[in-house]
């Protein structure tokens, strides 16, 4: 995934951990609401742990957790009990913590007494901050000293980091009626018979001595700024109505999660992009955000527009080995970091990725196919051409026609595809591949980028340029099928290594090649067979690495686990080549897996066989919610519906494949070609209402001409 270049696994936040998020700020706590520095808990602001301890004590004892819910992505409500009376089994005191994150934190404490007698309680909130970098927390390396609070005024504590100069962080903790002393705010609470007490506590970030606004709303939830923004998002996205209730739950959860993961560039507040995932990747990532935007086109095409515009603004313009910036290159990651004071895109940009640059062009072409290009797309088109220049110049280091990578410094990512862990690219015997490495799926992305550029040229009426780009795509396709195909194995090499040897592991990457269309028809059947073999398919999804490979480990990050987004791309590729049954096995498996996770697909889960364990086995450090996992259900739905638009040619294909299994599917208010359409797929057939003038609906699959050239696998 993103920025994973360490031997150290992320710590687990503990059973029942509660995570809430708004923009790039988030909070992780125990189920009772407490935050402890020994675990990857905290209130995080600008990739820094602003609060490392946040403990609620009632008469000196912690609150016992009863339940915790997240009514909104940015809100958690935790119910507990406290005030135990010696000699009694139960306590009459219920404690509610209503927590909302928005830059800082706003937490309303409520005590409810069910005693018939007056009661007196001492309520304390203990706070600390270590101002640790997010990755120090994630990897269990946050060993810095906590900074002591100091009482500034009645009801107000302040903590400052040790750093001086630009970007210095601090925080203020405040509550009316509180006593500020030492490391805590205290309240003396007297409750009458069956009485109630409530007070709001605020954690406000301080940057260079200035308080950061966390909003002034004190009214009901809809008046809270994140709630207003979230409600506006929900009003503009499709309304699903599905016969399969469990499937509908998955779709609704994904809509909520993608809305919560949006972050906004302060310089362009109308421009939304999707952060990679909670809790560790609340930042803009080139590859992750592009693929998420692409899979989310049926939900909100403006995410793709905002992502492209932001990435174009940050596109490489010079040669800089430290950040691996090169002219035309699309970034890997924007990190704010504990040592910076920078808004989104203001700095801390790292460019070490081989796939984001071609994917930029692919997404721009897909926007054209959806009829969702901005009115003036000239800047984006120029950025696409600069990206294509990078592919030919710096992406293809040795001029062999393939894009390869090798990091330009000692601190960058060793592997620069989506499997970017240090051991993510191996031979069949488990040996590590040595750079420069040309990944198979990256060649597919480049092929798709050439085809997309041809589409964009056709939109502009430049048929000569369109033909030239299509010719370039065909040349790459020919070379790829000649060099990457392993005829004795019947599948594609995952990569070519630095000596141009095929890296012969059987891996999921070749499914991406089906998706891009770079695979020759006569090889697709064997690829599909391997992807759905017992060695690759778990029953829930396709493993990242086959179980008979030397590096296989079902509980690893990239060498045998199951990634939902990876499977969504594979399923789309299988469907493109006419493998309907195989594609739907993945679709059904992932939707069933989601039901075991409460309707939310995680970043990844372990690659154990379904026949061995009846439920998917969680990977402990998996992000949830995570962007491309949240976008996966929309891609799966589009795949099984065979919903394929081509607005420039006036065509829309809709040929559902799974109505008998998934039941009726109705999508209202779907943004498409500047209009709002309704899509209906049932056992009785498929239809689209509100289709813009000039578009023709085809109730056959778009790729039927490809299917007809091979034996029918459906």
């Amino acid at each position: 995934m993103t920025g994973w270049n360490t031997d150290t696994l992320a710590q687990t936040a503990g059973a029942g951990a509660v995570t809430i998020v708004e923009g790039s700020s988030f909070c992780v706590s125990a189920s009772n609401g407490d935050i402890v520095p020994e675990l990857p808990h905290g209130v995080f602001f600008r990739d820094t742990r602003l609060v490392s301890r946040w403990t609620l004590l009632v008469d000196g004892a912690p609150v016992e957790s009863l339940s915790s819910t997240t009514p909104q992505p940015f809100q958690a409500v935790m119910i507990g009990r406290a005030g135990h009376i010696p000699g009694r089994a139960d306590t009459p005191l219920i404690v509610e913590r209503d927590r909302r994150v928005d830059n800082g934190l706003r937490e309303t404490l409520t005590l409810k007494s069910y005693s018939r007698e007056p009661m007196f309680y001492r309520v304390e909130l203990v706070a600390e901050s270590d101002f640790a970098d997010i990755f120090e927390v994630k990897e269990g390396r946050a060993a810095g000293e906590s900074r002591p609070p100091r009482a500034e005024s009645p009801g107000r504590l302040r903590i400052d980091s040790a750093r001086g100069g630009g970007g210095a962080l601090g925080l203020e903790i405040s509550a009316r009626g509180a006593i500020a002393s030492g490391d805590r705010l205290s309240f003396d609470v007297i409750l009458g018979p069956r009485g109630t007490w409530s007070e709001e506590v605020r954690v406000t970030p301080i940057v260079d001595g200035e308080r950061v606004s966390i909003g002034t709303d004190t009214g009901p939830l809809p008046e809270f700024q994140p709630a207003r923004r979230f409600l506006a998002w929900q009003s503009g996205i499709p309304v699903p109505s599905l016969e399969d209730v469990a499937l509908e739950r998955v779709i609704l959860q994904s809509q909520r999660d993608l809305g919560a993961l949006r972050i906004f560039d302060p310089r362009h507040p109308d421009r939304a992009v999707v952060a990679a995932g909670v809790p560790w990747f609340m930042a803009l990532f080139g590859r992750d955000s592009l693929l998420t935007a692409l899979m989310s086109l049926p939900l909100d095409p403006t995410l793709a527009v905002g992502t492209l515009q932001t990435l174009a603004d940050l596109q490489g313009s010079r040669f800089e080995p430290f950040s691996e910036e090169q002219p035309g290159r699309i970034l890997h990651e924007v990190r704010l970091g504990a040592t910076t004071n920078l808004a989104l895109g203001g700095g801390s940009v790292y460019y070490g990725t081989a796939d984001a640059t071609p994917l930029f062009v692919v997404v721009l072409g897909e926007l054209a196919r959806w009829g969702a290009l901005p009115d003036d797309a000239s800047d984006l088109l120029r950025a696409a051409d600069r990206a294509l220049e990078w592919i030919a110049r710096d992406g293809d280091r040795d001029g062999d026609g393939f894009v390869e990578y090798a990091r330009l410094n000692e601190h960058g990512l060793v592997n620069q595809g989506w499997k970017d862990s240090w051991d993510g690219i191996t031979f069949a015997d488990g040996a590590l591949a040595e750079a420069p490495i040309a990944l198979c799926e990256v060649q597919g992305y480049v092929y798709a980028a050439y085809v997309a550029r041809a589409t964009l040229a056709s939109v502009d009426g430049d048929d000569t340029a369109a033909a030239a780009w299509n010719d370039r795509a065909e040349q790459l396709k020919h070379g790829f099928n000649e060099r990457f195909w392993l005829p004795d194995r019947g599948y594609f090499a995952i990569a070519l290594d630095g000596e141009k040897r095929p890296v012969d592991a059987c891996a999921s990457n070749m499914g991406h090649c089906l998706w891009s269309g770079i695979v020759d028809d006569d090889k697709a059947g064997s690829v599909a067979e391997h992807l759905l073999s017992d060695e690759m398919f778990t029953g829930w999804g396709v493993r990242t690495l086959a179980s008979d490979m030397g590096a296989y480990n079902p509980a690893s990050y990239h060498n045998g686990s199951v990634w939902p987004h990876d499977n969504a791309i594979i399923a789309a590729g299988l469907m493109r080549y006419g493998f309907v049954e195989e594609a739907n096995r993945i679709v059904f498996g992932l939707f069933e897996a989601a039901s075991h996770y409460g309707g939310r697909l995680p970043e990844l889960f372990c690659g154990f066989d379904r026949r061995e364990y009846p439920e998917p086995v969680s990977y402990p450090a998996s992000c949830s919610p995570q962007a491309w996992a949240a976008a996966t259900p929309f891609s799966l739905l589009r795949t099984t519906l065979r919903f394929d638009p081509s607005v420039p040619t006036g065509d829309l294909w809709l040929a559902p494949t799974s109505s008998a299994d998934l039941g009726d599917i109705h999508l209202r208010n779907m943004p498409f070609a500047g209009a709002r359409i309704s899509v209906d797929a049932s056992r009785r057939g498929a239809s689209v209402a509100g289709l813009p003038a000039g578009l023709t609906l085809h109730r056959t699959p778009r790729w039927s001409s490809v299917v007809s050239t091979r034996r029918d696998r459906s």
Side-chain angles (χ1 to χ4, degrees), residues 507-508 510-511 514 527-533 536-537 542 570 574:
S508 63
M510 60 184 169
L514 292 175
V527 171
E529 187 175 338
H530 279 90
L531 289 170
L532 274 297
S533 67
M536 288 292 283
F537 188 65
V542 176
I570 294 169
L574 288 165

Side-chain angles (χ1 to χ4, degrees), residues 240-294:
S241 177
L242 283 71
E243 183 178 338
D244 188 318
V245 176
L247 177 57
E248 182 175 311
R249 180 186 184 190
V250 174
I251 298 299
L252 290 171
Q253 183 64 56
S254 289
Q255 288 180 335
R256 285 162 47 92
D257 288 343
L258 284 171
L261 289 169
R262 293 173 305 149
I263 54 179
F264 297 84
D265 186 338
R267 298 169 303 175
H268 303 280
D270 58 330
R271 186 188 292 179
V273 300
V274 181
V278 176
W280 309 120
F281 301 105
M282 287 307 298
L284 173 66
F285 284 77
R287 172 198 315 119
D288 299 58
S289 298
L290 284 165
L291 285 175
T292 298
L294 184 102

Side-chain angles (χ1 to χ4, degrees), residues 468-502:
W469 286 112
N470 280 324
D471 286 346
R472 190 176 298 190
E474 286 305 310
Q475 291 172 15
L476 175 58
K477 183 173 184 176
H478 175 77
F480 171 81
N481 283 273
E482 185 176 83
R483 296 291 305 278
F484 281 76
W485 182 246
L486 303 174
D488 57 329
R489 307 290 182 91
Y491 58 77
F492 286 96
I494 188 175
L496 303 181
D497 73 355
E499 297 180 11
K500 299 302 176 183
R501 297 177 301 171

Side-chain angles (χ1 to χ4, degrees), residues 363-387:
V363 174
L364 185 61
E366 194 70 7
L367 269 180
R369 290 184 55 223
W370 280 75
L373 283 174
D375 292 337
D376 183 3
S378 56
D379 287 348
L380 293 178
L381 194 59
R382 284 192 289 271
D385 286 338
R386 290 193 295 270

Side-chain angles (χ1 to χ4, degrees), residues 382-523:
R382 284 192 289 271
D385 286 338
R386 290 193 295 270
L388 291 164
E389 290 169 3
W390 176 87
I391 288 170
R393 182 188 62 246
D394 301 306
D396 184 3
R397 300 161 57 99
D398 55 10
D400 67 345
F402 302 127
V403 169
E404 52 267 315
Y405 63 80
R407 63 179 181 175
L408 303 179
N409 52 58
E410 291 303 314
H411 63 265
L413 290 170
V414 173
N415 285 313
Q416 299 189 352
W418 85 261
K419 294 178 181 176
D420 59 4
S421 51
W422 67 275
D423 60 350
I425 309 299
T426 60
F427 287 85
D429 63 4
L432 295 175
E434 296 291 335
I437 293 173
L439 292 169
C440 67
E441 76 272 19
V442 171
Q443 316 318 312
Y445 300 161
V446 173
Y447 170 82
Y450 292 160
V451 173
R453 187 61 184 90
T455 297
L456 293 164
S458 294
V459 170
D460 283 345
D462 190 344
D463 294 337
T464 301
W469 286 112
N470 280 324
D471 286 346
R472 190 176 298 190
E474 286 305 310
Q475 291 172 15
L476 175 58
K477 183 173 184 176
H478 175 77
F480 171 81
N481 283 273
E482 185 176 83
R483 296 291 305 278
F484 281 76
W485 182 246
L486 303 174
D488 57 329
R489 307 290 182 91
Y491 58 77
F492 286 96
I494 188 175
L496 303 181
D497 73 355
E499 297 180 11
K500 299 302 176 183
R501 297 177 301 171
V503 182
D504 59 350
C506 183
S508 63
N509 305 53
M510 60 184 169
H512 294 225
C513 298
L514 292 175
W515 171 70
S516 67
I518 199 173
V519 174
D520 283 343
D521 290 351
D522 62 351
K523 299 176 178 64

